């Protein structure tokens, strides 16, 4: 496969995953921000969603006050935010268009439909109303489901598929890690006791953001506990968003590539290394060393993998 | 049907009696409620938009991707009409190839005085780098799009030969797919010759001209300027149908006169490039140094015979509008045959007598720049204002040699379905001719372009023209009629 095609597919998958994550993060934050103050309803929620999406620097640069309307606008439609849903979708479509030959019709149509919908919404007015926004976020989530389902059900299992999957899981691992980091360190005020009601709703919002609320109860059969949420999102292989699950998939897809190309390389070795570390890890040692430190080091290892992949395959 | 229309209508004929190929369609139209047509029009638009069959418009910031208007009524040719057309097209492309081989080789036609040498050598599309070199199988034009018009049912005229990188074949194929989804009942009524084998034929053509060393299993790629090119949809569509990589210049590199593409498994050698990028942009070392679209060293690899380019470099020398005027003589010279398809009467403004005539009749003529394309740089006399005519008169006097003029043709019309009902619009036809080492072929059909506005003769998509599906159907009615009479 052309290196450029591989690169485009990889980034296409990342942009789609990122758009989905943003939509979910916004929805979760709205839910949290709508709570009474005593339960955690507070504007800090909007700061945290900016942080977890990696957009806080560019938002600060815009000079706007942090409030619900501003943040949502910035994360959804703002053309000046390179990481807005709008720009993710536009980038995804540009990548998809460049590699249409490597996509199935279902995949292309799901992206193109969402893009057309977005353009229609944009052309109607300046600021979409709350209802339109909610609908748009649903469309984005739906699109990522259809796209993902389309890939899963219609793509040949060849390098096009494997590069897409690798992109998706690298992005997903990054998103999960950021989510954990931000919630744990920024949101919880000093005086708040771990396990208090504020804590409860915040952790619960994290789980909702990634559609893991029910999963938590199935796995642990107990009330919300921060270290268990962290356990679920880091170490539980049965949880499809957990870091370990993402790495299991990354290793498998990179191995498929290596087999097809007849050689293992730096990216395979690095991914296996990260996966191996996660396998040996337990939550006690994570908390001892500090969750924040753990997450930071994971994020940089994950970025390192992305760099190694482009070095190995994308020239 | 509007009785004031004086042009030949392909459905109504000259006498207003439905022509044979259109009888079933005409009857079906009479029985079909207008609401059904309206709903199918909407469906068609939706299909095109969803599939993303668009073309990019240069300079238009807002709408960088547009849909080409699509008309849901087919344009129908009978098998016997098609057979004539097909023979004429193949004859024409065969002659074009012989001509190109000659002007880059021995130059016999120039020495024989049939075509003036300066027209060839001063033609900007003539490529001196190709002089004295042979291309594989002496084929320069592997893919030609020949623009055809008709003015009555007596025959076809060639309006233009496109020998560089003719586009539109994806519309021919997609129009058919959309029609089959929208009107299964119409296909059940007619027996329409299939065109879906075009990509296979194209692939066979490209394989047939691969360098020897590929040993019958060449690596073929389609080269595009990229996704901002107006025909990018077509490029990706064709690469997909051919099952070949769609590459940009940056995906290729040349080492020791061999072309490679960058793949995830390392460099892979390339044997045939179906390039949809103009000569000027192919190789910055050889042509425009400012071009980032091409591949440095590509011409060296080409001239060493390590890679085949389709169409060949310099093929554009044959599709210049000045050269067009000599096509009947060119056919006669190389094939010893009379041309089967007529040229439209054309005045060469470089000739004094012709120029005088043209200047005296500007309001009746269409004047074109010999190197212009897509409806740019032309004057449509009968539709031009006084000022436009005077402006062109000045241009003509200053540089008569870069202009030709043609009478405004009474182009035939075909019915289109509009919101307000069915109405006739002017059409032309672009069939696609393939020429490989294994012979020439044309799939039965082509791209019918339609001027969407009433009375307009402009069918170019960049100027708002539309398209419709083109059907070649068996002359079954003649058998039926014969039986009816028996």
């Amino acid at each position: 496969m052309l290196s450029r095609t591989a690169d485009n597919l990889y980034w296409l998958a990342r942009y789609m995953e990122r758009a989905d994550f943003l939509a979910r993060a916004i929805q979760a934050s709205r839910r949290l921000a709508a709570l009474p103050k005593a339960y955690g309803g507070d504007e800090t929620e909007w700061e945290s969603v900016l942080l977890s999406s990696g957009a806080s620097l560019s938002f600060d640069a815009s000079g706007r006050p942090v409030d619900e309307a501003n943040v949502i606008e910035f994360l959804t439609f703002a053309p000046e935010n390179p990481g807005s849903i709008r720009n993710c979708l536009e980038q995804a479509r540009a990548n998809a268009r460049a590699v249409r030959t490597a996509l199935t019709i279902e995949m292309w149509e799901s992206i193109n439909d969402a893009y057309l919908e977005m353009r229609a919404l944009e052309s109607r007015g300046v600021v979409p109303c709350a209802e339109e926004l909610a609908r748009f976020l649903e469309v984005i989530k739906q699109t990522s489901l259809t796209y993902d389902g389309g890939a899963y059900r219609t793509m040949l299992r060849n390098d096009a598929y494997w590069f897409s999957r690798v992109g998706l899981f690298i992005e997903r691992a990054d998103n999960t890690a950021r989510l954990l980091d931000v919630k744990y360190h920024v949101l919880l005020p000093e005086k708040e006791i771990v396990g208090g009601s504020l804590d409860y709703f915040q952790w619960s919002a994290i789980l909702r953001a990634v559609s893991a609320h029910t999963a938590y109860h199935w796995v642990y059969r107990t009330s919300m506990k921060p270290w268990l949420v962290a356990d679920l999102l880091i170490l539980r292989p049965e949880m499809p968003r957990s870091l370990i699950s993402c790495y299991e998939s990354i290793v498998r897809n990179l191995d498929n590539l290596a087999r097809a190309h007849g050689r293992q390389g730096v990216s395979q070795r690095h991914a296996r290394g990260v996966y191996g570390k996660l396998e040996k890890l337990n939550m006690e040692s994570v908390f001892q060393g500090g969750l924040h430190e753990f997450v930071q080091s994971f994020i940089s290892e994950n970025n390192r993998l992305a760099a190694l992949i482009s070095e190995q395959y994308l020239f | 049907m509007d009785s004031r229309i004086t042009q030949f209508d392909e459905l109504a004929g000259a006498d207003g009696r439905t022509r044979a190929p259109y009888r079933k369609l005409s009857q079906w139209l009479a029985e079909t409620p207008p609401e059904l047509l309206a709903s199918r029009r909407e469906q068609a638009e939706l299909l095109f938009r969803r599939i993303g069959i668009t073309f990019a418009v240069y300079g238009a910031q807002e709408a960088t991707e547009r849909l080409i208007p699509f008309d849901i009524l087919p344009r129908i040719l009978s098998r016997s009409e098609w057979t004539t057309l097909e023979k004429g097209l193949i004859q024409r492309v065969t002659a074009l190839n012989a001509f190109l081989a000659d002007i880059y080789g021995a130059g016999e036609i120039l020495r024989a005085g049939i075509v003036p040498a300066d027209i060839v050598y001063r033609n900007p599309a003539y490529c001196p780098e190709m002089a004295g070199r042979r291309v594989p199988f002496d084929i320069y034009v592997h893919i030609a799009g020949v623009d055809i018009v008709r003015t009555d049912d007596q025959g076809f005229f060639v309006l233009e030969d496109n020998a560089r990188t003719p586009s539109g074949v994806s519309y021919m194929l997609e129009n058919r797919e959309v029609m089959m989804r929208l009107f299964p009942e119409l296909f059940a009524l007619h027996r329409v010759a299939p065109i879906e084998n075009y990509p296979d034929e194209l692939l066979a053509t490209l394989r047939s001209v691969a360098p020897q060393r590929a040993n019958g299993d060449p690596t073929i790629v389609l080269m595009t300027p990229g996704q901002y090119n107006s025909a990018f949809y077509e490029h990706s569509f064709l690469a997909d149908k051919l099952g070949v990589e769609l590459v940009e210049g940056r995906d290729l590199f040349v080492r020791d006169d061999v072309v490679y593409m960058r793949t995830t498994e390392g460099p892979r050698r390339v044997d045939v490039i179906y390039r949809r990028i103009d000569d000027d942009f192919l190789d910055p070392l050889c042509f425009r140094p400012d071009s980032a679209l091409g591949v440095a060293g590509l011409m060296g690899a080409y001239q060493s015979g390590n890679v085949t380019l389709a169409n060949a470099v310099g093929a554009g020398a044959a599709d210049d509008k000045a050269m067009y005027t000599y096509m009947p003589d060119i056919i006669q010279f190389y094939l010893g045959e009379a041309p089967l398809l007529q040229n439209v009467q054309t005045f060469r403004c470089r000739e004094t007598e012709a120029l005088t005539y043209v200047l005296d009749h500007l309001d009746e003529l269409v004047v074109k720049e010999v190197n212009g394309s897509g409806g740019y740089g032309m004057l449509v006399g009968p539709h031009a204002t006084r000022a436009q005519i005077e402006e062109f008169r000045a241009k003509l006097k200053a540089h008569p040699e870069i202009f030709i003029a043609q009478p405004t043709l009474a182009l035939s019309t075909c019915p289109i379905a509009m919101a307000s009902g069915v109405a006739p619009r002017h059409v032309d036809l672009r069939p696609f001719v393939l020429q490989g080492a294994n012979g020439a072929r044309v799939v039965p059909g082509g791209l019918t372009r339609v001027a969407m506005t009433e009375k307009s003769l402009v069918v170019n998509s960049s100027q708002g023209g539309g398209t419709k599906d083109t059907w070649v159907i068996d002359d079954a009615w003649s058998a039926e009629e014969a039986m009816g009479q028996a």
Side-chain angles (χ1 to χ4, degrees), chain B residues 278-289:
Chain B
D278 289 339
D279 287 358
D280 279 356
F281 299 97
L282 276 178
D283 183 348
L285 297 183
C286 195
F287 305 109
R288 288 177 56 152

Side-chain angles (χ1 to χ4, degrees), chain A residues 157-193:
Chain A
R157 270 22 177 197
N158 58 17
D159 31 12
Y161 183 73
W162 299 319
F163 277 115
S164 302
R165 292 280 123 172
V166 169
L168 180 147
F169 288 114
I170 287 184
E171 182 67 27
R172 186 174 291 175
D174 183 72
N175 292 338
T176 298
R178 285 173 189 280
L179 189 66
L180 273 168
D181 198 29
V182 169
K183 291 293 175 183
Y184 199 74
H185 277 273
V186 177
L187 253 188
L188 203 60
E190 292 279 319
K191 60 180 191 319
E192 194 67 34
I193 46 154

